[in-house]
Amino acid sequence: MRQRPRGDSRGILNPGRLLREVRFRRHLPAESLRQWVEHYWLIDWRLSAPFEQRIVPHPAVNVVFQRDDDGPESGEVAGVGRDLFRITLNGTGRVSGVQFRPGGFHPFWRRPVSELTGRRVPLPAGRLTCPDVPVCPGGSPGPHALAASDDERCRALDTLLTAWQPEPDPMAEEAVQLAEAIRTDRTVLRVDDFAARHDVPVRRLQRLFLEYVGVAPKWVIRRYRLQEAVEQAAGGPLSWADLAADLGYSDQAHLVRDFTAVAGVSPAAYARSVR
């Protein structure tokens, strides 16, 4: 079982600027939740000018609570996002978010996670769920109503997720492990090779990912490899042709098209902007 949250900045465009503008940190959930939850992510800000952050989304569901200035708290379930995510922060505020492991939200949702893909489902004030969510544990207050310190906010999120009463699911566990294998093994480039490596029929793998992760395994492979390209582009000069071949693209132009479509700028332009 993990003892600390993931430390990379994968998916965050220009992470250095993010850390200069806001307080961003990750914490692990209670041990009983770690089989499903990747980490909690907390952000606090006090800005003199608007700040836009862009994210290349992970193949993961997030539950997010946000409060701006002295306004009311809002909450939502954010399904896997296919497109670049943009948010502009103003004034003061804070966010408490839960990033589930790919495949880990199904024991809470208990329906095909693909129903949430590309959607953001609001959570009514003071409740963990909404009419679209099949499990409604009742009037649990949001984490900000309970908390000030990071420990208090994390304990509040633990309480909220535990109230959802997730149940162990061998299929969810398999989906989590397979998605993790794609994330951590950069040699995974093709669905059929990956399925054969894990002795899973391709059609079953596709059904499993749509039900539990929310997107197809090919999309997950491409997204993780593209996030690697973003990370490497920020690291210094490199050969785009070599990187394209390394990440399984047919040629450099294919990588440039994918990168530009998701990140909003070409790899070279992004590299210049970060440096």
Side-chain angles (χ1 to χ4, degrees):
M1 192 68 70
R2 293 164 300 150
Q3 299 303 311
R4 57 174 61 95
R6 213 180 63 233
D8 63 77
S9 59
R10 189 172 292 186
I12 303 174
L13 295 183
N14 203 337
R17 184 177 178 224
L18 172 72
L19 297 177
R20 290 193 297 270
E21 297 285 350
V22 306
R23 289 185 61 229
F24 172 82
R25 55 264 190 227
R26 295 176 176 137
H27 297 283
L28 289 180
E31 192 165 342
S32 62
L33 295 166
R34 292 179 195 176
Q35 60 186 306
W36 302 300
V37 176
E38 181 72 30
H39 55 244
Y40 298 149
W41 50 275
L42 309 180
I43 301 178
D44 298 85
W45 65 91
R46 184 180 298 274
L47 301 169
S48 57
F51 165 64
E52 183 190 63
Q53 180 60 49
R54 295 172 298 151
I55 304 288
V56 177
H58 288 255
V61 174
N62 284 261
V63 170
V64 184
F65 296 93
Q66 179 168 338
R67 173 177 288 169
D68 297 315
D69 297 315
D70 295 323
E73 181 177 278
S74 62
E76 65 180 11
V77 177
V80 175
R82 294 182 178 274
D83 302 318
L84 182 68
F85 174 71
R86 301 173 184 261
I87 186 170
T88 299
L89 305 177
N90 290 283
T92 61
R94 56 182 173 172
V95 171
S96 292
V98 181
Q99 182 175 310
F100 289 84
R101 302 177 72 184
F105 189 63
H106 193 282
F108 299 79
W109 178 248
R110 301 176 194 177
R111 294 203 312 236
V113 177
S114 57
E115 295 178 3
L116 288 168
T117 299
R119 295 178 59 204
R120 308 181 73 84
V121 180
L123 302 179
R127 295 183 62 185
L128 181 61
T129 61
C130 66
D132 282 348
V133 180
V135 182
C136 293
S140 301
H144 300 314
L146 296 174
S149 70
D150 282 14
D151 285 347
E152 290 172 322
R153 287 159 79 172
C154 290
R155 283 197 299 270
L157 291 171
D158 286 340
T159 299
L160 289 167
L161 296 182
T162 301
W164 221 324
Q165 299 178 338
E167 297 179 355
D169 180 344
M171 299 284 284
E173 182 178 346
E174 181 182 10
V176 167
Q177 291 175 348
L178 289 170
E180 180 69 5
I182 294 173
R183 184 181 74 84
T184 56
D185 184 356
R186 64 176 303 165
T187 67
V188 176
L189 302 175
R190 294 174 54 87
V191 173
D192 51 355
D193 291 343
F194 180 72
R197 190 182 307 180
H198 291 271
D199 196 25
V200 180
V202 170
R203 296 191 117 186
R204 180 179 180 276
L205 182 68
Q206 291 170 335
R207 290 194 300 269
L208 180 73
F209 269 59
L210 288 174
E211 172 79 22
Y212 284 83
V213 181
V215 285
K218 180 179 179 179
W219 190 93
V220 174
I221 293 171
R222 279 284 184 236
R223 177 50 51 93
Y224 277 137
R225 300 298 82 88
L226 186 61
Q227 287 185 340
E228 290 180 36
V230 170
E231 205 163 39
Q232 293 199 38
L238 49 81
S239 165
W240 300 113
D242 289 346
L243 180 61
D246 195 28
L247 297 179
Y249 285 89
S250 57
D251 53 32
Q252 179 179 336
H254 188 190
L255 169 62
V256 171
R257 285 195 302 272
D258 264 17
F259 191 111
T260 305
V262 173
V265 294
S266 70
Y270 175 68
R272 287 194 301 270
S273 71
V274 173
R275 291 197 291 271

